[in-house]
Amino acid sequence: MNKSASLSFTKPLDVRFSEVDAMQIVWHGSYALYFEDAREAFGAHYGLSYHTIADAGYYAPLVDLEFHYRRPIVYGDRPLITITYVPTEAAKLIFDYVITDETDGEVIATGRSVQVFLDSNRNLMWTAPEFYEKWKAATLVQE
């Protein structure tokens, strides 16, 4: 991977019946879970899982989460979610998301999440933890 390449991962979303309302439309609150599923898949794929963060002695809570809806997901749809890491010098994890329709590629929703690092005493980290800097160097992330 070269330094200009972005780190992205795409996975299918499984829309469960429990996630839809009486109109068979996915409830807006489910999108937060879809974004979480994407972060877990990204972390597993690129070696930045929540276990990796915890094993290094840190937490990474969400401090900002945004969604932009373009059209509903209906029960039976097979959408795809693509998560892209946004490089930053700050002690943060920033991800962009795009949910698309698997059949025609139409954008269904977009979003962004921001996580900060806390140490084991839950103190905010103002500089990026060493393990995170090493991860960025190993994946050739360019800020």
Side-chain angles (χ1 to χ4, degrees):
M1 178 183 301
N2 65 43
K3 284 191 173 239
S4 63
S6 63
L7 298 179
S8 294
F9 188 78
T10 300
K11 70 179 288 306
L13 291 175
D14 295 316
V15 178
R16 297 175 297 193
F17 183 75
S18 62
E19 297 167 342
V20 300
D21 61 19
M23 296 178 290
Q24 306 264 326
I25 294 173
V26 170
W27 176 63
H28 67 275
S30 294
Y31 288 77
L33 298 173
Y34 296 157
F35 284 18
E36 181 73 24
D37 289 346
R39 284 193 303 278
E40 286 189 53
F42 178 95
H45 184 77
Y46 287 108
L48 190 63
S49 71
Y50 288 120
H51 288 294
T52 302
I53 296 168
D55 290 348
Y58 297 92
Y59 303 101
L62 281 169
V63 294
D64 191 26
L65 185 61
E66 63 184 61
F67 305 94
H68 303 278
Y69 305 99
R70 300 214 179 143
R71 75 162 180 82
I73 298 174
V74 177
Y75 185 65
D77 285 354
R78 287 283 299 161
L80 300 172
I81 186 166
T82 299
I83 179 174
T84 302
Y85 173 79
V86 178
T88 178
E89 291 183 26
K92 296 179 179 182
L93 290 168
I94 302 172
F95 293 103
D96 285 333
Y97 307 84
V98 178
I99 299 176
T100 56
D101 187 307
E102 183 179 52
T103 57
D104 62 13
E106 181 182 359
V107 174
I108 296 169
T110 60
R112 176 170 275 205
S113 67
V114 178
Q115 296 166 265
V116 295
F117 290 103
L118 304 180
D119 67 16
S120 60
N121 294 317
R122 293 179 177 80
N123 295 309
L124 180 64
M125 301 298 301
W126 292 100
T127 58
E130 183 178 351
F131 88 92
Y132 182 49
E133 290 295 344
K134 287 180 180 179
W135 175 82
K136 290 193 293 187
T139 56
L140 302 176
V141 170
Q142 183 178 4
E143 296 160 8

